[in-house]
């Protein structure tokens, strides 16, 4: 029925358009048709009367309805000029937009038809030009005139929304009428003609939660207190209808997804009133005990919950933190627990929202509380010493078995098991101490020496008798108390020097002492001479009372010839109870000094030698030494003169070179046979000396017996074999060559070392003089001297 209704409406609109068109054509012809104006004369230059013919037809615009689907072409209008007498001599011509394709004209009658269906949405009007011409001559009878053909709109386009789907958000609990989003539709029909483009919005789905304004398309909330926790997302369908929403109008729809955003309208709530937890007394601070969680249906920051302990007897023993990832409260241990002291604790925990919305503060307090009961579980604890560490004292040299001290431990568990004690032998490797396994008494095993070890640091273990794995350890420091058992001694190995010309009561050395005992057993040292030499005629001692003593000369004048060494015994006593003393010997040497007291010599032999030689004897010794030196110089000079032929004279240009000539000489006047400059300076040719290597023509095959096995591990044999193989291979470079040398050099004390000329004479083979050149030429003398020996033996 709806399709039939639309077809009837369409046909009615076409009829109305055609009536409108006929009325417009009649009106245009009545309003604009004008007869030709005759009788208006103008005189020309030659007295000729000119007639001006005005346009006989004028029009403005025609109308044609769009989307016409009739069987015949639509008559748009008729052109007619008042000069047309109907004899067929006038031809009507149509040009412009669509002429001949969309619009055709009958050139005789002037009727214009539309041959195609027009769409106003594609093109709303066409501009055409009409002209009347003489059919025979094609001469224009009227000037061309433009007119417009407008396409009359019909409602053939439904409204279309800008988007197929819309998404919008609105806070939950919003007031009625809160704007959510505006949707907009457009209609391609002509908005200036009729109601084809007049849109009206309505809601098809989404009631009763939302509504839409009919004229603007604004969607608003329609129910109060919409709860996101009950329903978060809504799907709304909006319709836009043209023709002002009346019957027969076209429509379009769009979908709008509306999401309620969260607000903090729900307080946190614990799902239970009491939480039960347990923790071992062996737990360490920071260990997690349990978790609680208050549920808040809000999301995001509106659902954030912070936990705190507000009351309870366990506030000092436990703490709570917030895990924001899981929104849980984590109960942790803050202090060590003792099952034997307290077996259970109670906490009152509060959960509160972090962010509160003032709009919903009337909904009640946004927090909740819960009771947490924590029970302490008994743990099998190791023994506990009464003290964290022990310090004892024992005198050195105490007898074996002396009690040093006592340690005590107990089992903290309710069973109160018996304890056994032992010493960690890694801390008492020398086994100075022992411990009673039952009562913890520590005793010495052997005598202690404070001067060797002043403190002993040991560790004592305590274990339960029936549970060997439960073990405790405590450090024990044992101080060895000092006893005066060491006598003082010299602080250093003193050696004194006294001048032969020393004056009476002159101080020549200050001595001090050391004592291995503690300062309490030797606060001051007492220095003295033994009673048997208290009246020593040579030296005396003075105690400075500051732990030092000065040694002085008692008499004047000492002689190294008579006695150059004195040994002075000195007694040193400490101030301990009882005091201890020792006798130390001071070595005193007699030395020669100058008038200022500075040491010159303490060597008695040198002194006697200088005193026994006269000046004449010294001169004789020096003269002998000079004569010997002169003889050596003369001998060396003679030897050099004997070897002079080996030295190249400056006026001679003799080189140790062998030069090959390939031609016969041309005589003394032949200057082209060879270059004399080559003989004078052979090493200057081209700046380098060419090699004269001669490569052998035959190939050398190494003996297979000399090659070691590939897997030989004796590297030394391998290398020696390779060296021997290379030395015996004449085909391997470097080949035999003749090297050219320049000057041998002049000014050498040893003369020429060349072997080319030394083998010509037998007299040059005497190298006995090398024996007199000293230790630096000993090796050379042995080499040449050995040859002479071999010759003699042969």
């Amino acid at each position: 029925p709806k399709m039939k209704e639309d077809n009837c409406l369409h046909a009615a609109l076409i009829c109305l358009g055609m009536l409108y068109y006929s009325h417009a054509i009649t009106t245009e012809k009545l309003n604009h048709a004008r007869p030709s104006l005759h009788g208006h004369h103008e005189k020309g230059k030659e007295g000729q009367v000119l007639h001006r013919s005005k346009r006989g037809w004028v029009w403005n615009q025609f109308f044609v309805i769009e989307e016409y689907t009739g069987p015949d072409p639509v008559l748009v209008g008729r052109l007619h000029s008042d000069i047309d007498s109907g004899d067929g001599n006038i031809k009507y011509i149509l040009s412009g937009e669509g002429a001949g394709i969309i619009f055709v004209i009958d050139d005789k009658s002037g009727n214009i038809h539309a041959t195609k269906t027009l769409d106003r949405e594609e093109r709303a009007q066409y501009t055409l030009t009409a002209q009347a011409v003489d059919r025979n001559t094609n001469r224009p009878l009227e000037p061309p005139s433009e007119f417009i053909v407008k396409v009359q709109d019909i409602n053939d386009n439904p409204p279309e929304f800008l988007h197929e789907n819309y998404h919008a958000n609105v806070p939950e609990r919003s007031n009625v009428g809160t704007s959510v989003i505006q949707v907009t539709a457009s209609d391609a029909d002509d908005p200036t003609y009729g109601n084809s483009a007049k849109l009206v919005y309505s809601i098809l789905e989404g009631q009763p939660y939302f509504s839409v304004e009919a004229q603007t398309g604004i969607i608003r909330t329609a129910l109060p207190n919409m709860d996101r926790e009950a329903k978060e997302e809504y799907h709304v369908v909006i319709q836009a209808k043209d023709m002002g929403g009346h019957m027969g109008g076209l429509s379009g729809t769009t979908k709008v997804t509306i999401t309620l955003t969260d607000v903090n309208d729900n307080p946190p709530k614990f799902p239970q009133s009491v939480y039960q937890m347990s923790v071992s007394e062996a737990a360490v601070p920071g260990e997690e005990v349990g978790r609680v969680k208050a549920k808040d249906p809000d999301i995001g920051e509106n659902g954030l919950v912070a936990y705190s302990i507000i009351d309870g007897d366990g506030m000092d023993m436990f703490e709570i933190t917030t895990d924001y990832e899981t929104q849980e409260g984590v109960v942790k241990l803050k202090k060590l627990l003792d099952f034997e002291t307290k077996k259970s604790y109670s906490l009152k925990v509060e959960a509160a929202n972090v962010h509160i919305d003032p709009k919903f503060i009337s909904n009640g307090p946004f927090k909740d509380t819960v009771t947490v009961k924590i029970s302490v579980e008994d743990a099998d604890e190791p023994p506990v010493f009464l003290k964290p560490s022990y310090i004892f004292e024992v005198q050195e040299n105490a007898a074996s078995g002396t009690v040093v001290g006592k340690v005590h431990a107990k089992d903290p568990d309710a069973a109160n098991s018996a304890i056994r004690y032992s010493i960690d032998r890694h801390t008492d490797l020398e086994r100075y101490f022992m411990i009673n396994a039952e009562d913890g008494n520590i005793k010495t095993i052997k005598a202690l020496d404070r001067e060797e070890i002043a403190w002993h640091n040991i560790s004592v273990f305590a274990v339960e008798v029936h549970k060997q794995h439960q073990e405790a350890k405590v450090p024990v420091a044992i101080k060895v108390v000092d006893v005066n058992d060491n006598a003082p001694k010299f602080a250093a190995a003193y050696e004194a020097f006294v001048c032969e010309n020393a004056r009476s009561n002159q101080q020549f050395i200050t001595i001090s002492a050391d004592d291995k005992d503690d300062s309490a057993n030797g606060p001051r040292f007492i220095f003295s001479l033994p009673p048997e030499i208290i009246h020593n005629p040579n030296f005396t001692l003075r105690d400075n009372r500051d732990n030092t003593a000065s040694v002085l000369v008692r008499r004047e004048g000492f002689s190294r010839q008579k006695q150059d060494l004195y040994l002075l015994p000195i007694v040193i006593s400490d101030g301990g109870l009882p005091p201890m003393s020792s006798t130390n010997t001071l070595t005193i040497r007699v030395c020669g000094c100058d008038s200022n007291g500075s040491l010159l010599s303490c060597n008695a032999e040198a002194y006697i030698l200088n005193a026994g030689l006269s000046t004449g004897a010294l001169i004789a010794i020096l003269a002998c030494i000079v004569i010997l030196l002169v003889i050596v110089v003369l001998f060396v000079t003679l030897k050099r003169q004997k070897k002079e032929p080996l030295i190249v004279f400056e006026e001679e240009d003799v080189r140790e070179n062998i030069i090959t000539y390939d031609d016969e000489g041309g005589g003394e006047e032949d200057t082209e046979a060879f270059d004399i400059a080559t003989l004078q300076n052979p090493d200057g040719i081209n700046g380098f000396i060419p090699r004269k290597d001669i490569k052998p023509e035959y190939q050398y095959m190494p003996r297979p017996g000399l090659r070691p096995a590939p897997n030989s591990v004796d590297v030394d044999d391998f290398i020696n074999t390779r060296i021997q193989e290379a030395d015996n291979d004449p085909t391997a470079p470097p080949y035999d060559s003749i090297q050219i040398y320049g000057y041998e050099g002049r000014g050498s004390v040893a003369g020429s070392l060349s072997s080319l000329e030394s083998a010509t004479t037998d007299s040059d083979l005497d190298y006995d003089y090398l024996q007199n050149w000293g230790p630096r030429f000993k090796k050379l003398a042995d080499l040449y001297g050995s040859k002479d020996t071999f010759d003699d033996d042969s």
Side-chain angles (χ1 to χ4, degrees):
K2 186 175 181 180
M3 293 181 61
K4 290 182 179 180
E5 184 178 336
D6 291 342
N7 291 335
C8 293
L9 179 60
H10 192 199
L13 289 174
I14 292 174
C15 294
L16 289 174
M18 295 181 67
L19 291 175
Y20 180 82
Y21 153 74
S22 301
H23 175 71
I25 292 296
T26 306
T27 305
E28 289 293 331
K29 295 298 290 183
L30 292 176
N31 290 338
H32 298 286
R34 296 176 185 159
S36 300
L37 299 179
H38 300 284
H40 182 76
H41 305 279
E42 291 184 1
K43 292 183 177 180
K45 294 182 179 181
E46 298 179 355
Q48 182 180 1
V49 178
L50 300 177
H51 299 276
R52 186 184 68 175
S53 298
K54 293 191 65 177
R55 203 177 80 191
W57 41 273
V58 177
W59 60 89
N60 185 13
Q61 61 185 10
F62 292 146
F63 294 89
V64 60
I65 194 167
E66 69 169 334
E67 302 294 347
Y68 175 72
T69 57
D72 299 325
V74 178
L75 179 62
V76 177
R78 181 182 182 186
L79 300 180
H80 183 72
S81 176
D82 54 358
I83 62 173
D84 185 3
S85 60
D87 53 3
N89 293 326
I90 295 178
K91 181 180 180 181
Y92 295 97
I93 299 175
L94 185 66
S95 62
E97 298 174 345
I101 300 174
I102 299 175
F103 302 101
V104 296
I105 189 171
D106 188 344
D107 58 354
K108 292 182 179 180
S109 62
N111 292 332
I112 302 175
H113 291 83
T115 61
K116 294 184 178 181
T117 301
L118 302 182
D119 187 359
R120 190 201 66 84
E121 286 69 40
E122 292 182 3
R123 187 156 189 165
Q125 64 181 20
Y126 297 86
T127 302
L128 299 172
T129 302
Q131 191 174 20
V133 300
D134 186 275
R135 185 178 294 275
N136 298 321
T137 64
N138 287 330
R139 181 176 60 85
L141 301 178
E142 292 284 349
S145 179
E146 286 187 353
F147 65 96
I148 296 174
V149 177
K150 285 190 174 182
V151 181
Q152 188 66 46
D153 181 53
I154 64 172
N155 188 20
D156 59 342
N157 290 279
E160 293 183 359
F161 284 92
L162 298 180
H163 302 285
E164 184 178 355
N165 293 287
Y166 289 85
H167 295 274
N169 298 323
V170 64
E172 63 173 332
R173 308 285 183 182
S174 296
N175 297 327
V176 175
T178 301
S179 175
V180 179
I181 190 175
Q182 182 178 13
V183 294
T184 304
S186 61
D187 196 319
D189 293 325
D190 189 0
T192 62
Y193 177 74
N195 294 327
S196 298
K198 186 178 181 180
L199 305 181
V200 174
Y201 298 94
S202 61
I203 183 169
L204 300 183
E205 295 180 15
Q207 301 97 336
Y209 307 103
F210 300 95
S211 63
V212 64
E213 291 184 357
Q215 306 301 325
T216 61
I218 297 176
I219 301 175
R220 299 181 183 275
T221 58
L223 282 182
N225 298 323
M226 284 192 292
D227 190 3
R228 184 200 66 83
E229 287 72 34
K231 186 176 181 180
E232 183 176 6
E233 191 173 83
Y234 296 84
H235 297 282
V236 179
V237 178
I238 301 297
Q239 181 189 63
K241 190 174 184 180
D242 58 12
M243 298 300 291
H246 293 93
M247 185 72 67
L250 303 178
S251 64
T253 59
T254 186
K255 294 180 180 180
V256 182
T257 301
I258 301 176
T259 303
L260 297 182
T261 57
D262 184 62
V263 297
N264 190 12
D265 57 340
N266 294 281
K269 188 71 176 177
F270 284 105
Q272 59 195 67
S273 59
V274 178
Y275 284 87
Q276 296 285 348
M277 300 179 184
S278 62
V279 60
S280 173
E281 65 171 333
V284 296
E287 187 173 331
E288 181 178 328
V289 178
R291 294 187 174 221
V292 298
K293 183 175 183 179
K295 295 183 178 180
D296 192 332
D298 297 322
I299 59 175
E301 67 175 14
N302 297 319
L304 293 180
V305 178
Y307 298 87
S308 60
I309 300 175
I310 59 175
D311 198 5
D313 58 0
M315 293 184 65
D316 296 335
M317 304 299 296
F318 301 93
E319 62 182 355
I320 191 168
T321 59
T322 302
D323 186 346
Y324 286 103
E325 292 185 0
T326 61
Q327 291 298 302
E328 293 177 321
V330 183
V331 180
K332 295 182 179 180
L333 183 64
K334 189 162 61 172
K335 294 182 180 180
L336 291 174
L337 300 172
D338 187 8
F339 173 80
E340 289 72 25
T341 303
K342 189 172 177 62
K343 296 179 176 58
S344 65
Y345 295 89
S346 178
L347 302 174
K348 188 174 183 180
V349 177
E350 179 184 79
N353 277 138
V354 177
H355 303 284
I356 298 176
D357 194 340
K359 296 179 181 179
F360 305 100
I361 196 68
S362 60
N363 288 12
F366 285 82
K367 56 186 177 182
D368 193 17
T369 58
V370 71
T371 300
V372 179
K373 293 185 178 181
I374 304 173
S375 60
V376 181
E377 297 178 349
D378 187 20
D380 190 8
E381 301 175 85
V384 177
F385 283 94
L386 299 185
K387 295 181 180 179
S389 63
Y390 292 86
I391 299 178
F392 300 128
E393 291 184 356
V394 61
Q395 283 191 343
E396 66 173 327
N397 302 326
S400 175
T402 302
V403 176
V404 177
K406 181 180 181 180
V407 297
H408 183 67
K410 67 175 184 177
D411 182 9
D413 298 323
N416 194 17
S417 301
I419 306 298
R420 293 186 64 85
Y421 303 93
S422 62
I423 294 176
D424 183 1
R425 288 304 170 188
H426 293 90
T427 61
D428 186 26
L429 296 176
E430 300 296 330
R431 293 185 175 270
Y432 287 105
F433 306 97
M434 61 172 291
I435 189 170
N436 190 306
E438 284 75 22
D439 58 13
N441 277 320
I442 301 175
K443 299 179 181 180
T444 61
I445 298 178
K446 53 186 177 181
L448 306 177
D449 186 0
R450 189 203 70 85
E451 287 70 41
E452 182 180 351
I453 303 176
W455 284 86
H456 294 266
N457 295 302
I458 64 175
S459 296
V460 175
F461 290 116
V463 297
E464 297 181 15
V465 174
H466 302 293
K467 299 177 182 178
Q468 299 294 328
H469 65 281
Q470 294 293 359
E471 180 182 79
K473 187 177 181 180
V474 68
V476 179
I478 301 174
K479 179 182 179 181
V480 182
V481 180
D482 183 48
V483 173
N484 191 21
D485 57 348
N486 289 279
K489 295 181 180 180
F490 276 159
Y494 293 108
E495 186 175 3
F497 302 92
V498 64
C499 295
E500 289 181 306
N501 54 357
R503 299 185 302 275
S504 178
N505 293 326
Q506 179 181 351
Q507 174 183 336
F508 59 90
I509 190 173
T510 300
I511 59 176
S512 62
D514 282 338
D515 194 336
K516 293 182 179 180
D517 292 325
D518 192 31
S519 59
N521 288 314
R524 193 180 76 80
F525 300 120
I526 301 172
F527 299 86
S528 63
L529 295 177
E532 61 270 15
I533 61 168
I534 191 68
H535 301 292
N536 187 298
N538 299 316
F539 307 100
T540 184
L541 184 70
R542 182 179 65 203
D543 193 338
N544 297 326
R545 297 183 179 276
D546 59 354
N547 290 333
T548 63
S550 300
V551 182
L552 298 88
V553 177
R554 171 166 287 189
R555 66 179 178 85
E556 294 183 359
F558 291 88
S559 174
R560 283 183 290 175
Q561 295 176 348
K562 294 181 179 180
Q563 186 175 351
D564 63 341
L565 184 67
Y566 294 88
L567 300 177
L568 180 65
I570 299 176
V571 179
I572 308 175
S573 302
D574 58 22
L577 293 175
M580 297 196 70
S581 62
S582 66
T583 300
N584 301 266
T585 302
L586 176 65
T587 302
I588 304 173
R589 292 186 180 277
V590 180
C591 301
C593 303
D594 57 12
S595 59
N596 296 326
S598 299
L599 294 178
L600 294 179
S601 174
C602 295
N603 192 343
E605 288 78 12
Y607 183 82
I608 294 173
L609 178 62
N610 292 336
L613 291 176
S614 62
T615 305
L618 292 175
I619 294 174
I621 292 173
L622 292 175
C624 292
I625 293 173
V626 171
I627 293 172
L628 290 174
L629 290 175
V630 171
I631 293 172
V632 170
V633 170
L634 291 175
F635 184 78
V636 171
T637 303
L638 291 175
K639 288 296 181 181
R640 289 189 61 188
Q641 290 177 357
K642 189 175 182 180
K643 285 183 172 289
E644 195 64 30
L646 296 177
I647 301 176
V648 180
F649 294 102
E650 293 182 358
E651 60 272 9
E652 294 180 359
D653 192 13
V654 178
R655 310 288 177 91
E656 293 179 352
N657 301 320
I658 299 176
I659 301 175
T660 303
Y661 299 93
D662 296 332
D663 55 356
E664 294 289 334
E668 296 179 353
E669 297 181 358
D670 186 1
T671 60
E672 296 180 358
F674 59 90
D675 188 1
I676 193 63
T678 303
L679 296 178
Q680 295 176 349
N681 189 16
D683 56 348
I685 302 175
N686 298 329
F688 66 93
I689 301 174
R691 296 177 59 92
K692 294 181 174 59
D693 296 350
I694 302 174
K695 185 175 181 180
E697 296 179 354
Y698 63 91
Q699 298 295 325
Y700 169 75
M701 296 301 291
R703 288 178 293 173
L706 296 178
R707 185 179 303 273
N711 296 327
S712 176
V713 295
D714 193 343
V715 178
D716 187 64
D717 291 345
F718 177 80
I719 293 176
N720 292 332
T721 302
R722 290 300 187 194
I723 293 174
Q724 182 180 0
E725 194 175 296
D727 291 342
N728 296 329
D729 185 3
T731 64
Y735 312 116
D736 293 340
S737 61
I738 300 175
Q739 300 296 337
I740 300 173
Y741 298 91
Y743 292 99
E744 186 68 27
R746 296 180 177 86
S748 174
V749 177
S752 175
L753 299 178
S754 173
S755 61
L756 295 177
E757 294 180 355
S758 59
T760 57
T761 60
D762 295 334
S763 61
D764 293 337
L765 300 178
D766 185 7
Y767 297 103
D768 294 337
Y769 62 89
L770 292 176
Q771 300 289 344
N772 301 325
W773 281 16
R776 294 187 179 182
F777 293 86
K778 184 176 182 303
K779 185 66 176 178
L780 189 62
D782 293 341
L783 291 174
Y784 285 88
S786 62
K787 184 175 182 180
D788 296 337
T789 304
F790 295 151
D791 294 341
D792 296 340
D793 295 342
S794 62

